Amino acid sequence: MNKAVLYCLFLLVVQGCSTIAPKSLNSLDGSIREAILVHPIKKNSNQATLSAWQKQNNKWHRIVLVSAVIGRNGLAAAGEKKEGDGKTPSGIYPLGPAFGYAPTLATGLPYRAAGNIDFWVDDVKSLQYNQWVHGSPAANSFERMKRRDNLYQYGIVIGYNMHPIVPGAGSAIFMHVWRRYNSPTSGCVAINQRHLRQILHWLGQQYQPVIILE
């Protein structure tokens, strides 16, 4: 039994394996075989749906559909995301590495464990802006990767503003555990912990996974 069918049977959150793929999936590079699609439930909303898709035999199949939250001020239009605006960037971005608090994690993505001296810099004037730093950051503003509220117990780096890094264009955009179903983020994508762990287990670096925020 193939991977997509196995997950359709396994995940209780599945709404049925769909063969009708959104246009944004069909426009992806042919080498991409896994994609996550996040779409607000209405314009400017911080409530969204998240679906996971797998490409097999040149067709996209939806394997999971769950609720998600995004930035408190919704999605930023393409090219308009700014540091501190409370918006999630729109666009298509690579996924990974995964991160979390445990030494190892069941995922097909590269994984990095977050400790007490791991930080992500959001100081727009720092040379370390939008980077994971181990040890004391050379910055005035940053966040701990091992948070006390456990929102980063499981997470995935969304490859936004990475190559190149543009100061002030936004930083620390992740997919992580939500606080509550109705609690938006500062710009990340967040879902239920159980669903995130299932998605982490499903994702594989060899499939060049991306996230589509639209």
Side-chain angles (χ1 to χ4, degrees):
M1 189 175 293
N2 66 40
K3 188 177 179 183
V5 174
L6 282 172
Y7 266 82
C8 284
L9 294 174
F10 176 68
L11 298 177
L12 296 178
V13 293
V14 168
Q15 299 291 316
C17 286
S18 173
T19 56
I20 303 174
K23 291 181 180 179
S24 53
L25 290 174
N26 292 322
S27 66
L28 294 175
D29 184 274
S31 62
I32 296 172
R33 293 170 57 195
E34 291 181 341
I36 291 175
L37 179 63
V38 179
H39 187 71
I41 60 174
K42 60 182 179 180
K43 187 176 180 180
N44 299 323
S45 177
N46 52 46
Q47 303 289 309
T49 58
L50 181 149
S51 53
W53 297 77
Q54 183 163 344
K55 190 175 186 180
Q56 292 199 337
N57 299 322
N58 293 318
K59 291 185 178 181
W60 285 100
H61 302 273
R62 190 184 71 193
I63 63 169
V64 62
L65 176 67
V66 298
S67 296
V69 291
I70 58 174
R72 61 183 178 273
N73 293 322
L75 278 183
E80 295 186 8
K81 168 66 182 170
K82 302 297 181 186
E83 185 67 42
D85 63 4
K87 294 183 178 182
T88 300
S90 58
I92 303 173
Y93 306 103
L95 286 171
F99 62 89
Y101 300 170
T104 61
L105 185 68
T107 181
L109 295 177
Y111 177 73
R112 186 170 182 178
N116 293 325
I117 58 170
D118 288 303
F119 306 90
W120 199 284
V121 174
D122 56 15
D123 180 356
V124 299
K125 295 182 179 180
S126 173
L127 294 177
Q128 296 174 328
Y129 179 69
N130 200 29
Q131 296 177 59
W132 180 315
V133 176
H134 181 72
S136 298
N140 293 320
S141 180
F142 47 83
E143 65 172 315
R144 291 184 178 275
M145 294 303 292
K146 191 171 185 179
R147 297 170 58 119
R148 293 181 179 179
D149 58 13
N150 290 333
L151 296 187
Y152 291 174
Q153 185 174 3
Y154 304 98
I156 307 168
V157 174
I158 295 174
Y160 168 75
N161 194 23
M162 294 285 190
H163 306 291
I165 296 173
V166 178
S171 63
I173 305 299
F174 310 135
M175 184 172 164
H176 63 76
V177 179
W178 66 18
R179 191 182 304 276
R180 289 179 299 276
Y181 74 93
N182 60 353
S183 182
T185 71
S186 295
C188 295
V189 175
I191 62 174
N192 172 276
Q193 183 190 115
R194 178 170 62 91
H195 298 160
L196 180 53
R197 291 182 67 182
Q198 290 167 340
I199 288 172
L200 279 163
H201 183 70
W202 164 70
L203 287 169
Q205 185 181 25
Q206 69 271 32
Y207 304 121
Q208 299 185 45
V210 298
I211 188 168
I212 304 171
L213 302 158
E214 63 178 15

